[in-house]
């Protein structure tokens, strides 16, 4: 009788402690943890030690699945077509502080009604819960969309045509830039750079599993003293961030490639460009990269010439249709050394 009573007391205390800990978890995760605990308590009260051990093991497995996915403890994933607005407060009348692209990951810190307080990349704010996957659904989506990223850890990283130092250099990559890993060959990593496969030496990169992260509003802002047309161009172009990359595509909503993106952006402002990055580089006036203003075009190349184009948006950043994996995104303008920069619109 005494042992039976003690078990009830201990079970009650543990339940109280656990419930307080679960207050910060999303509802789905909390229910799963609670189910495992209930099974343990039930078997303990009936004296079935074997069943208790089995339930405890199952609960630990579930908790492990819900934690430490790509560095997140309580994972949320944007379940949207393009991007999810992140706001300063728990309400649609509060200011935007960032955007969470489709399938981007975030750390869920708390819940306020229908809003989740989240952190992703450098952005902390609130998103509507109806557009966020949590619990097992988030874990499953993460397994489907996560990628292995190679980050350059040397000042100038040579990406080569073949996995050996005798092959020609395709492009050079700046320190800290991320590349999607396609294959790990041991001493060499096959990566995707703006849709082109090439190879970098393993010793000069760090690998990590990642989900897309939020963009800060400063990542899509422009410098002061810029003409209204340039300001409008930046705002127009950046609204498509997160949309699909499709080789040969010309639809800003359904899919574009790099030159299709810049072609459509400029078309809105009365400038008609060909659907080719190499051909586009022959239009306008060439300027020094240090003189670039929002709306100017940055061109990048490899050993065979120009093969990529992006639009400058200010603050050392560009917006471009990068690859099938990343879609339309914002990058450092010097993530690759530009071949040339051109200006097509007057002040």
């Amino acid at each position: 009788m005494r042992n039976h009573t003690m078990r009830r007391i201990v079970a009650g205390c543990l339940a109280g402690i656990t419930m307080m800990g679960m207050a910060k978890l999303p509802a789905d995760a909390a229910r799963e943890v609670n189910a495992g605990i209930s099974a343990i308590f039930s078997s303990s009260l009936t004296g079935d030690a074997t069943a208790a051990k089995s339930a405890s093991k199952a609960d630990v497995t579930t908790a492990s699945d819900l934690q430490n996915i790509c560095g997140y403890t309580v994972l949320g994933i944007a379940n949207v077509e393009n991007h999810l607005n992140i706001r300063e407060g728990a309400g649609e009348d509060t200011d935007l502080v960032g955007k969470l692209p489709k399938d981007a990951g975030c750390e869920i810190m708390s819940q306020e009604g229908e809003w989740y307080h989240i952190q992703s990349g450098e952005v902390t704010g609130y998103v509507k819960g109806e557009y966020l996957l949590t619990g097992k659904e988030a874990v499953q989506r993460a397994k489907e969309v996560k990628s292995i990223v190679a980050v350059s850890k040397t000042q100038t990283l040579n990406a080569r045509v073949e996995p050996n130092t005798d092959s020609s250099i395709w492009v050079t990559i700046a320190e800290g830039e991320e590349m999607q890993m396609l294959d790990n060959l041991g001493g060499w990593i096959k990566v995707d750079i703006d849709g082109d496969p090439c190879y970098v030496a393993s010793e000069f990169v760090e690998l990590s599993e990642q989900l897309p992260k939020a963009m800060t509003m400063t990542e899509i802002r422009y410098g002061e003293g810029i003409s209204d047309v340039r300001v409008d161009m930046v705002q127009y172009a950046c609204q498509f961030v997160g949309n699909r990359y499709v080789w040969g595509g010309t639809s800003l909503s359904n899919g574009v490639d790099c030159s299709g993106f810049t072609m459509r952006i400029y078309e809105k402002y009365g400038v008609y460009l060909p659907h080719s990055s190499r051909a586009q580089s022959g239009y306008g006036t060439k300027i020094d990269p240090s003189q670039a203003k929002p709306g100017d075009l940055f061109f990048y190349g490899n050993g065979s010439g120009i093969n990529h184009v992006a639009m400058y948006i200010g603050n050392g950043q560009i917006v471009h249709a990068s690859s099938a994996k990343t879609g339309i995104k914002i990058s450092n303008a010097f993530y690759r050394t530009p071949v040339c920069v051109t200006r097509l619109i007057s002040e």
Side-chain angles (χ1 to χ4, degrees):
M1 181 66 178
R2 173 179 293 180
N3 290 339
H4 179 70
T5 302
M6 286 301 295
R7 280 197 294 269
R8 293 180 62 185
I9 293 171
V10 171
C13 291
L14 288 174
I17 293 170
T18 306
M19 289 305 293
M20 287 189 289
M22 290 195 300
K24 295 182 180 180
L25 286 172
D28 289 346
R31 282 195 295 271
E32 290 164 4
V33 175
N34 185 50
I37 293 168
S38 297
I40 297 171
F41 291 163
S42 176
S43 58
S44 175
L45 292 175
T46 59
D48 188 346
T50 302
K53 183 181 291 186
S54 175
S56 178
K57 183 177 180 180
D59 183 54
V60 170
T61 301
T62 299
S64 175
D65 285 344
L66 292 172
Q67 294 181 354
N68 300 319
I69 302 295
C70 299
Y72 296 100
T73 301
V74 183
L75 175 66
I77 292 187
N79 186 29
V80 290
E81 284 300 317
N82 295 319
H83 60 260
L84 175 58
N85 288 332
I86 306 173
R87 297 190 175 276
E88 187 177 33
E92 294 187 3
D93 57 342
T94 60
D95 292 338
L96 285 176
V97 294
K99 296 183 177 183
L100 203 61
K102 177 182 179 180
D103 292 328
C106 65
E107 183 74 23
I108 299 175
M109 298 185 289
S110 63
Q111 184 175 359
E112 296 183 22
E114 62 179 349
W115 294 82
Y116 283 109
H117 189 205
I118 62 104
Q119 191 275 328
S120 178
E122 298 180 5
V123 183
T124 299
Y126 293 82
V127 297
K128 265 197 167 182
E130 63 183 294
Y131 301 114
L132 205 64
L133 294 179
T134 61
K136 285 187 174 181
E137 288 185 331
V139 171
Q140 183 58 42
R141 180 65 65 85
K143 291 176 180 178
E144 296 169 358
V145 302
K146 69 182 179 180
S147 59
I148 299 179
V149 172
V151 182
S152 171
K153 59 179 183 179
T154 186
Q155 189 169 9
T156 302
L157 175 65
N158 292 327
R160 298 182 179 272
V161 175
E162 299 293 339
N164 60 71
T165 54
D166 293 329
S167 67
S168 59
I169 297 172
W170 185 256
V171 293
T172 55
I173 304 299
E175 185 174 6
E177 290 302 317
E178 297 181 351
M179 300 156 282
Q180 299 292 323
M181 188 187 86
L182 300 176
D183 196 6
N184 189 337
L185 307 178
W188 291 85
I189 304 295
K190 185 178 182 180
V191 296
D192 180 319
I193 300 177
D194 295 327
D196 293 320
C198 47
Y199 300 85
V200 295
S202 301
E203 62 182 303
F204 299 122
V205 297
E206 292 182 351
L207 301 179
S208 63
E209 288 188 338
Q210 291 190 19
L211 293 168
K213 298 181 180 68
M215 301 178 298
T216 65
M217 294 308 291
T218 58
E219 285 181 308
I220 58 174
R221 282 180 183 152
Y222 34 79
E224 296 181 359
I226 304 302
S227 68
D228 290 343
V229 171
R230 291 181 181 273
V231 168
D232 194 66
M233 285 185 76
V234 170
Q235 292 177 331
Y236 180 65
C238 286
Q239 72 177 292
F240 301 107
V241 168
N243 285 8
R244 296 171 59 210
Y245 173 100
V246 174
W247 189 85
T250 59
S251 171
L252 292 170
S253 56
N254 296 321
V256 288
D257 58 14
C258 66
S259 59
F261 177 69
T262 50
M263 179 181 75
R264 290 303 186 209
I265 297 301
Y266 267 85
E267 183 179 75
K268 177 178 169 61
Y269 298 90
V271 179
Y272 299 93
L273 299 173
H275 191 190
S276 160
S277 57
R278 183 175 299 183
Q280 287 183 9
S281 68
Y283 285 67
T285 303
K286 287 183 171 57
I287 61 172
D288 188 274
S290 64
Q291 299 175 330
K293 294 182 178 181
D296 293 339
L297 296 182
F298 273 60
F299 294 89
Y300 306 89
N302 51 35
S304 61
I306 289 172
N307 71 340
H308 193 66
V309 59
M311 193 182 87
Y312 189 64
I313 60 173
N315 296 324
Q317 295 180 312
I318 53 170
V319 59
H320 59 140
S322 176
S323 69
K325 181 67 177 178
T326 59
I328 300 172
K329 62 182 286 190
I330 291 172
S331 300
N332 179 345
F334 298 93
Y335 77 110
R336 295 165 62 180
T337 303
V339 174
C340 65
V341 179
T342 65
R343 178 165 294 163
L344 290 89
I345 57 176
S346 62
E347 300 306 315

